[in-house]
Amino acid sequence: MPRETFYNLPEVKRGKVESAAIDEFSQYAYDSASINRIIDMAGIPKGSFYQYFEDKKDVYRYVIDRLVEKKMAHLKPMLENPLQDNFFDLLFKLYRGGLEFALSNPQLQMITSKILADRKHPVFLELMHDHINASEQVFHILLEKGIERGEIRADIDLELSAHILSTLNTAFADYYLEKKGSIIEEDYLAYVSRHITFLKQGMGSEKSR
Amino acid sequence: MPRETFYNLPEVKRGKVESAAIDEFSQYAYDSASINRIIDMAGIPKGSFYQYFEDKKDVYRYVIDRLVEKKMAHLKPMLENPLQDNFFDLLFKLYRGGLEFALSNPQLQMITSKILADRKHPVFLELMHDHINASEQVFHILLEKGIERGEIRADIDLELSAHILSTLNTAFADYYLEKKGSIIEEDYLAYVSRHITFLKQGMGSEKSR
DNA sequence: TTAGAATGTGACCATAAAGTCATATGACCA
DNA sequence: TGGTCATATGACTTTATGGTCACATTCTAA
């Protein structure tokens, strides 16, 4: 946890530090991220930085907490009544939400991808016993319900399918971000919709079933 | 390219250096990988290392070349007559091949994942103008053919679908590698088969189409 | 006005990194 | 035996890292 001093900081200065940290961790994995670059970006001396944070892990935890907080806030409305929609309608909302989050917070999305790629790193095992795989767990539950309701084929592998939905959720947003870049360019809702159709019906034609 | 000296090395010593390098790059991303650790593992002095390789990039390139070479050798038979199978039979072979490769070369598989996660790193842009996205391109071609033959729905997004197939190919192998022995007791061929069924038919039940 | 607490600050430390180089060793040929 | 060439070697250089700390400054309250 950041020190009291950090929270007492004038808002603009605290914001500069936070932005610098997010910027650094969006470009570099935990090990390669540099405190020196962060303080240069933020325009604060090194001594000050260590008044605010205990160590590197501490800033990183802070950044991840902000990330989770923002993402949760974004997805919360969709998970309020998860069982009133049918599975694929809810899936659409979740993927749309994920994409919108990525488009409006590209740096946080980049951090998300880095975390997933690096998830076996010691620092995560220590830092994230909470929210890692939260996404996978949500999809697991939803899939179970979907099977009960007969919306999902009963012969799927639950664990694997939950993993795939979670992986693709991030991968899909990453892909869109990389290829399209901005939300205005094209009808991204149609794009999400086509992706959900793939998840529901696969790539195969009628003929090939 | 490694220096002449490296190739003149007695096979066993050269093998030790190669293994040490592969081991290091399977555990650490390019930036975090350490030459010092490599030479300690290989049991050679630092001076010798720099007789063999020009710099860090040079060993890395060497490792990647070995990786691509081995993977190609493994997948070659499946790509010999790509159009004699229907799309999903070929897809099955490719996913099976990918999984078998991962199972018999777990370290190389780990390197593959790291490369994909880190693909925007300067060193890759310089090093891999060849074979990056080779996988995506193959899938792209196969999908086109599949559409022509009416095996694939004509309304899919080609680029995105190729990307998904490529991403899932690696993700699927990673997942199996991580989970095998614990929750997966099923024979791996049946596992691949079920995954291909998902790609073909999706997760949706008949009712929900 | 002044004591004391909270903050700010950058020189400094130990450590590790990639890469160099002068010298030592060994092999091959005359 | 002597000379030349490829190879082996580890001390060394430079640069960066995460983190510390003695001291300076500012703020608060009595």
Side-chain angles (χ1 to χ4, degrees):
Chain A
M1 297 284 297
R3 297 224 157 78
E4 192 60 28
T5 319
F6 179 65
Y7 293 108
N8 294 341
L9 241 38
E11 213 177 300
V12 34
K13 186 171 183 182
R14 201 180 66 226
K16 267 213 260 185
V17 174
E18 182 178 314
S19 300
I22 288 177
D23 196 50
E24 179 69 10
F25 286 116
S26 74
Q27 285 188 260
Y28 300 92
Y30 180 77
D31 280 333
S32 308
S34 155
I35 304 290
N36 289 333
R37 276 193 299 255
I38 293 177
I39 63 172
D40 285 351
M41 274 189 280
I44 58 166
K46 192 165 226 174
S48 298
F49 179 90
Y50 282 97
Q51 296 269 358
Y52 308 148
F53 302 101
E54 205 183 334
D55 53 18
K56 194 179 179 176
K57 213 163 58 187
D58 199 27
V59 226
Y60 195 54
R61 174 170 30 219
Y62 176 74
V63 165
I64 289 181
D65 283 350
R66 293 291 73 68
L67 160 57
V68 171
E69 192 178 290
K70 276 206 176 187
K71 185 138 191 180
M72 279 309 176
H74 198 95
L75 294 181
K76 199 176 177 189
M78 295 148 198
L79 288 166
E80 216 97 269
N81 296 85
L83 301 178
Q84 76 183 13
D85 286 317
N86 80 62
F87 179 83
F88 292 104
D89 288 343
L90 179 53
L91 199 59
F92 175 84
K93 287 184 186 171
L94 289 173
Y95 269 62
R96 187 193 63 195
L99 181 53
E100 283 166 350
F101 177 81
L103 287 166
S104 45
N105 305 277
Q107 290 185 316
L108 296 184
Q109 175 67 17
M110 288 163 79
I111 296 177
T112 304
S113 305
K114 286 208 191 309
I115 291 174
L116 256 46
D118 239 6
R119 89 191 89 96
K120 52 145 246 169
H121 191 293
V123 86
F124 294 120
L125 303 175
E126 183 187 342
L127 233 56
M128 323 245 313
H129 40 89
D130 321 324
H131 30 245
I132 201 133
N133 283 348
S135 160
E136 232 170 285
Q137 285 162 30
V138 167
F139 284 125
H140 196 285
I141 293 168
L142 295 180
L143 281 168
E144 275 180 327
K145 284 289 168 196
I147 291 177
E148 276 177 30
R149 294 167 165 205
E151 294 160 0
I152 303 287
R153 295 199 342 254
D155 62 336
I156 63 163
D157 182 295
L158 262 179
E159 302 279 346
L160 174 61
S161 301
H163 179 71
I164 285 178
L165 288 180
S166 173
T167 301
L168 282 184
N169 197 359
T170 304
F172 177 71
D174 281 346
Y175 178 82
Y176 195 93
L177 213 58
E178 195 177 314
K179 295 288 180 189
K180 307 291 200 265
S182 101
I183 201 161
I184 350 155
E185 287 189 28
E186 139 175 1
D187 185 3
Y188 72 98
L189 288 181
Y191 208 69
V192 175
S193 178
R194 290 215 288 172
H195 186 55
I196 299 299
T197 302
F198 155 65
L199 292 174
K200 190 202 278 189
Q201 307 188 358
M203 296 179 176
S205 62
E206 285 302 320
K207 169 193 158 191
S208 68
R209 314 199 106 230
Chain B
M1 296 283 298
R3 295 225 158 77
E4 193 60 27
T5 318
F6 178 65
Y7 293 107
N8 294 340
L9 242 37
E11 214 177 298
V12 36
K13 186 172 181 182
R14 201 181 65 228
K16 266 212 262 185
V17 175
E18 183 177 314
S19 300
I22 288 177
D23 195 52
E24 179 69 10
F25 286 117
S26 75
Q27 286 187 258
Y28 300 92
Y30 179 77
D31 280 333
S32 308
S34 155
I35 305 291
N36 288 335
R37 276 193 299 255
I38 292 178
I39 63 173
D40 286 350
M41 274 189 277
I44 59 166
K46 191 164 225 175
S48 299
F49 179 89
Y50 282 97
Q51 295 269 1
Y52 307 148
F53 301 100
E54 207 182 333
D55 54 17
K56 194 179 180 179
K57 213 164 59 187
D58 200 24
V59 226
Y60 195 54
R61 173 168 33 216
Y62 177 74
V63 165
I64 289 181
D65 284 349
R66 295 289 72 72
L67 160 57
V68 171
E69 192 178 291
K70 278 207 176 188
K71 185 136 193 186
M72 278 309 175
H74 198 93
L75 294 182
K76 199 177 175 188
M78 294 148 198
L79 289 168
E80 216 97 274
N81 295 86
L83 301 179
Q84 75 183 16
D85 288 317
N86 79 61
F87 180 83
F88 291 104
D89 288 344
L90 179 54
L91 198 60
F92 175 83
K93 288 183 186 171
L94 290 173
Y95 270 62
R96 186 192 64 196
L99 181 52
E100 283 166 351
F101 177 82
L103 287 168
S104 46
N105 305 276
Q107 289 184 317
L108 295 184
Q109 175 66 16
M110 287 162 80
I111 296 177
T112 304
S113 305
K114 286 209 190 308
I115 291 174
L116 256 47
D118 239 5
R119 89 190 91 95
K120 55 144 244 163
H121 190 293
V123 87
F124 295 120
L125 303 175
E126 182 186 342
L127 233 56
M128 321 246 314
H129 40 90
D130 321 323
H131 28 247
I132 199 131
N133 283 349
S135 159
E136 231 170 284
Q137 284 162 30
V138 167
F139 284 125
H140 196 283
I141 293 169
L142 295 179
L143 281 168
E144 275 180 326
K145 284 291 168 194
I147 291 177
E148 275 177 32
R149 294 167 164 207
E151 295 158 3
I152 303 287
R153 291 195 350 249
D155 62 335
I156 63 164
D157 182 295
L158 263 178
E159 301 278 345
L160 174 61
S161 301
H163 179 71
I164 286 177
L165 288 179
S166 173
T167 301
L168 282 185
N169 198 359
T170 303
F172 177 71
D174 281 346
Y175 179 82
Y176 193 93
L177 216 59
E178 195 175 310
K179 299 291 184 187
K180 89 175 155 105
S182 51
I183 56 177
I184 302 174
E185 75 292 351
E186 192 176 7
D187 154 51
Y188 79 95
L189 288 181
Y191 208 68
V192 175
S193 179
R194 289 215 289 171
H195 186 54
I196 299 299
T197 302
F198 156 65
L199 292 175
K200 192 202 279 190
Q201 306 188 359
M203 297 178 175
S205 62
E206 285 303 320
K207 169 191 159 192
S208 70
R209 313 199 106 229

